[in-house]
Amino acid sequence: MMTINLIGTGNVAWHLANQLAKIPTCTLQQIAGRSPEKEGDFKSFAGEIVTINALQPATITIIAVSDDVIENVSTLIPYQDTLVVHTSGSITIEAIAQNRKGVFYPLQSFSKNDTIDFTNIPMCIEATTQEDLEILQQLAMLFSTKVYHIDSHQRKQAHLAAVFVNNFTNHCYTIAQELCDTHQIPFELLHALVGKTAQKAIDHSPSEVQTGPAKRNDTKVINEHLNMLQQEDHKSIYQTLTASIIAHYGKEL
């Protein structure tokens, strides 16, 4: 039986706790956090809700907190010789103060009210020893069929790539919805296109399926779109993405 301690009460911590509670070969021993108002959401998952200094040693202690406090939180853990990991995509493994350290990074966007199926979520793991890597491998395989041994440099690059495919793309969706709302167009008109675009990027190399006026270097449509945009930040985004697409496909403005 693998025992787990979880530090954190945010979205990632909640989904990890929810999943761990479903795994019969894992015991979610203790959960510690800084937000007492959120602790009630975790009571059904763990044997005990405690403060960090009351944690007892476990097979793995998972730090699932904001990136900027990972290092400090690790120094508060009151034991040294057990495996401690964080869940960040952008923080190096060296941020952990303990002797045995690792990373357990699920490459996914987490919102608390989402239903998350971990089966196909990539689990990126790293450890400083082969023995600890094997322990993390065992845990990761209880979550997902897709487990990757990724070092800190690779993980940072993957996190950067994820910002493009998720955060920046979602902001473009937000702009599109604002445009639709302004002109009384139902945003659901674009739902099929959103789904098709994502599926094409999965089924093919994204570079091979690019379409649109920038790919065609259709300056008439591009200039018309720029004139239609009322907000300067929207114009700037449109111009930057258009110039990048044109440059990528070897055409000049």
Side-chain angles (χ1 to χ4, degrees), residues 80-98:
Q80 181 62 241
D81 295 320
T82 63
L83 179 57
V84 176
V85 303
H86 69 65
T87 61
S88 171
S90 59
I91 299 299
T92 176
I93 192 173
E94 297 303 328
I96 295 173
Q98 277 66 30

Side-chain angles (χ1 to χ4, degrees), residues 169-184:
T169 301
N170 192 72
H171 184 61
C172 288
Y173 294 158
T174 300
I175 294 172
Q177 183 168 24
E178 289 175 357
L179 290 171
C180 287
D181 291 347
T182 299
H183 299 283
Q184 293 79 52

Side-chain angles (χ1 to χ4, degrees), residues 30-132:
Q30 294 175 304
I31 295 177
R34 302 185 298 175
S35 304
E37 70 278 5
K38 294 182 180 180
E39 290 177 358
D41 297 338
F42 289 79
K43 285 184 178 178
S44 62
F45 299 142
E48 191 178 14
I49 309 293
V50 299
T51 58
I52 292 179
N53 60 6
L55 287 170
Q56 299 297 314
T59 309
I60 303 174
T61 299
I62 301 175
I63 301 174
V65 299
S66 301
D67 288 359
D68 57 345
V69 296
I70 288 172
E71 186 170 1
N72 181 59
V73 165
S74 74
T75 66
L76 302 176
I77 296 172
Y79 43 82
Q80 181 62 241
D81 295 320
T82 63
L83 179 57
V84 176
V85 303
H86 69 65
T87 61
S88 171
S90 59
I91 299 299
T92 176
I93 192 173
E94 297 303 328
I96 295 173
Q98 277 66 30
N99 296 328
R100 296 174 58 194
K101 59 192 73 178
V103 179
F104 189 74
Y105 171 50
L107 206 168
Q108 182 57 280
S109 174
F110 291 94
S111 297
K112 186 172 180 182
N113 294 327
D114 285 348
T115 299
I116 298 292
D117 178 7
F118 274 92
T119 306
N120 291 311
I121 292 177
M123 304 300 294
C124 302
I125 61 174
E126 181 184 8
T128 52
T129 69
Q130 184 61 35
E131 180 182 359
D132 285 338

Side-chain angles (χ1 to χ4, degrees), residues 9 36-37 86 121 125 141 146 162 171 188 219 225:
T9 52
E37 70 278 5
H86 69 65
I121 292 177
I125 61 174
M141 291 179 67
K146 298 181 177 180
H171 184 61
E188 68 181 31
T219 55
H225 285 171

Side-chain angles (χ1 to χ4, degrees), residues 164-166 169-170 173 190-207 209-211:
F164 276 90
V165 300
N166 177 245
T169 301
N170 192 72
Y173 294 158
L190 300 177
H191 286 183
L193 181 59
V194 169
K196 183 66 172 178
T197 302
Q199 192 60 52
K200 284 168 68 177
I202 292 170
D203 293 340
H204 308 276
S205 167
S207 181
V209 294
Q210 182 71 50
T211 61

